[in-house]
Amino acid sequence: MMYILEKKNVDQTLSEWSAKYEVYTPQKVEAYSQFLPFTESSELALNEPLNTRYPPKSLFLPQSEVMLKYNKRLNKFDEIKILPEKRIIFGIRPCDASAITLLDTVFDTDEYQDPYWTERRENTILVGLGCSEPPSTCFCTTVGYGPFNQDGLDALMTELDDVYVVEILSDKGQKLFSNFPASSKDQEQSVLNIQLKAKDLMEPAFETENLKQTLDQLFESDYWSEIAESCLGCGICTFLCPTCFCFDIVDEVQRNERIRNWDTCMFRIYSQEASGHNPRPTRAERTRQRLMHKYSYWLDHIDKIGCTGCGRCVRHCPVGLDIRAMLRAASNFEREVVNVG
Amino acid sequence: MPELTTELRKNIEQLLTDQVVDVVIAFKKADAPLRPQPAFFRNLEELEDLEYNGLCQNNLANYLTRYPHDTKIGIVVRGCESRSVNALIVEKQHPRENLYMIGIPCQGILDIRKIIKKTGEDVTGYSEDGDQVSVVYEGKEVNLQRSDLLHDSCLRCAHPNPVNADVLLGEPLPDGDPTIVRLAIEEFEALDRDERYAWFQKEAERCIRCYACREACPMCYCTECFVDHATPRWTESDISQAGTQAWHIIRAFHQAGRCTSCGACERACPMDIKMTYLTDKLNNDMLEVYQFETGMDDNTQPPFASFNLDDKNRFVI
Ligand code: SF4
Ligand code: SF4
Ligand code: SF4
Ligand code: SF4
Ligand code: SF4
């Protein structure tokens, strides 16, 4: 079933939803965009070809989050209400929605359920916006996703002249859009064409077949120190990444709070042990961890690549390190070694 | 600047062939057209990829502290970079005799944000010729003026010519106008207290504590930064107001008399946060109070690092 949301009605629709839900939309901040709560004065950034710079994973795994408050004197804990509202995330890109399904396999497993994650997931409706004109730095199709991938979404919008055509992908989505006008057969055909064309526009960025084996074989090689020589060891590529989920739990004793902050394998202190020993002493081992996690360990874990090709790390690395080029270099590096041998 | 790149390549070739240096730190072409990459040349074949243009964003002096002191390093330096190298020599981070500075009088670094504001983010090609810059956006060529795209730090640059370089490629440029340096500071100082605080809050509180500003800065080479210190903890660890504000203030203070106003920190920031307004102000204080400018030679200690038993001023604590 497909419905129509007219572009001129977007603002009004979002304000109506706001009465019942907390609504998040991509909005402009300086030269970038970020998901922020919708208000009447919000400047929506739906027409950008790129996804938001700050990743929407933060709406499920906030960068800093209070897990509990304590009162040392009274020796008691205060309960933290995790999510007061039902939410709609409007205009999330397919790569970011699929990333959330990857993170489900970390925070919501048969064995462990992270209540902060699961409660937010249950109470959130994800309305996606597909990418008719995929930017050159995106490579979702290379890693098994795509500009109209449906994973994790309750509804998916395709832009068509002055309307969004909405495909319903779950009961939650159906409920939200059931009062909207239905789309015509012609519109549905156009949507199909747009979706196919977008996918075709994207060329493969690197070879994924045997990539895991290649990386595994390179584990002890010089490849890592070669590619990581210019790396600064900052948090950009991992903090902006929709699939990176490492965190650090800290007691902010002066505030009587236990909090959880995003952490990253690219920081030196991430792997620093209490003894002072650091098993990942240089940026080479840290870069190895980042790439191996996405392109090898995730495959061990769920047989899927742990990168959805959103391109953020490519666009925002301050020294121009491009994960696509690094992975191409991995395949070439191995060939060189094999040739020499 | 293809001619300059060719001249630079010749120069580096000579240094490597004559074994004057073990490695040359410069830039190379990257796949992303807007981001040439810092590169480390050890042999002649690699030099094909050498690049030098207005998009070379980083301060290469940043990499000096990664090498043992006996490594002979060649390094491409613009005005601010040469002064950062000098400041690092003063701080005993590498001996001068094991350094070879290839100086380039600097026309200024372009701000990627100013480019994408005019076009859009997905730029797929770039070239420059004198004051003309041309980028490819959505398959079409867009012509821009170099002077409209300069990074704010470069608009305010006082010393575009490398200081103490071993060789200079290109003609020296006139020095910058110090009143322009002061303009931005005066503008900030003219605000009242609440406005200044609002400005500071708007910038500092967007911070995601990725520390790219720190990692991009040649002077932030501490093995353990104060924010990473756990016992005692100097700041809140999270992106709270207190945490982000403390990071911005203390980082800036650690730069007093050490920063060369290169702007590499600001260019690295993923959240478009302004921060040179703090360090530039401190630099200006250093100049006015102590007549000191960072890196103008390679032996004068910065005021806050030097002490003198005969100091006629009492130490304030
Ligand atoms: S963003 Fe770039 S410089 Fe920063 S850690 Fe990642 S690869 Fe290294
Ligand atoms: S590794 Fe890079 S491209 Fe892949 S999901 Fe993370 S930020 Fe996006
Ligand atoms: S990676 Fe694919 S889904 Fe994500 S923004 Fe780019 S084109 Fe869209
Ligand atoms: S603080 Fe910023 S402007 Fe100053 S030297 Fe460091 S990177 Fe350059
Ligand atoms: S680079 Fe920007 S976001 Fe990152 S720590 Fe520095 S100011 Fe904060």
Side-chain angles (χ1 to χ4, degrees), chain A residues 30-32 50 53 63-64 135-136 229-232 235 250 252 254-255 261 268 317-320 328, chain B residues 31 35 37 42 58 62-63 66 121-122 202 206 208 210 215 223 233 236-239 268 270-272:
Chain A
E30 300 299 305
Y32 62 94
L50 293 163
R53 194 178 296 176
Q63 175 155 13
S64 298
S136 63
E229 199 166 7
S230 64
C231 173
L232 300 176
V250 182
E252 286 297 348
Q254 74 289 11
R255 282 180 3 212
N261 293 321
R268 183 190 60 84
C317 172
V319 294
R328 285 196 293 268
Chain B
D31 289 7
R35 298 221 187 247
Q37 239 180 59
R42 294 184 183 81
N58 316 100
N62 188 32
Y63 295 99
R66 295 197 190 174
E121 209 157 337
D122 198 24
K202 175 163 173 277
R206 294 208 302 279
I208 61 169
C210 69
E215 301 300 334
T223 318
R233 177 98 49 69
E236 290 188 2
S237 64
D238 56 354
I239 53 165
M271 305 306 279
D272 300 356

Side-chain angles (χ1 to χ4, degrees), chain B residues 224-295:
Chain B
E224 186 166 85
C225 178
F226 73 97
V227 278
D228 293 339
H229 202 76
T231 41
R233 177 98 49 69
W234 301 112
T235 64
E236 290 188 2
S237 64
D238 56 354
I239 53 165
S240 63
Q241 190 175 40
T244 51
Q245 290 196 2
W247 163 240
H248 277 254
I249 292 276
I250 304 176
R251 185 195 74 89
F253 269 99
H254 286 180
Q255 297 294 346
R258 306 174 64 238
C259 162
T260 57
S261 298
C262 68
C265 45
E266 220 166 74
R267 289 189 294 274
C269 177
M271 305 306 279
D272 300 356
I273 293 171
K274 293 190 189 71
M275 52 197 111
T276 49
Y277 68 100
L278 293 171
T279 38
D280 282 359
K281 161 74 178 145
L282 288 166
N283 289 344
N284 200 257
D285 287 353
M286 284 292 144
L287 186 64
E288 283 178 1
V289 181
Y290 302 102
Q291 295 75 52
F292 178 82
E293 268 187 290
T294 308

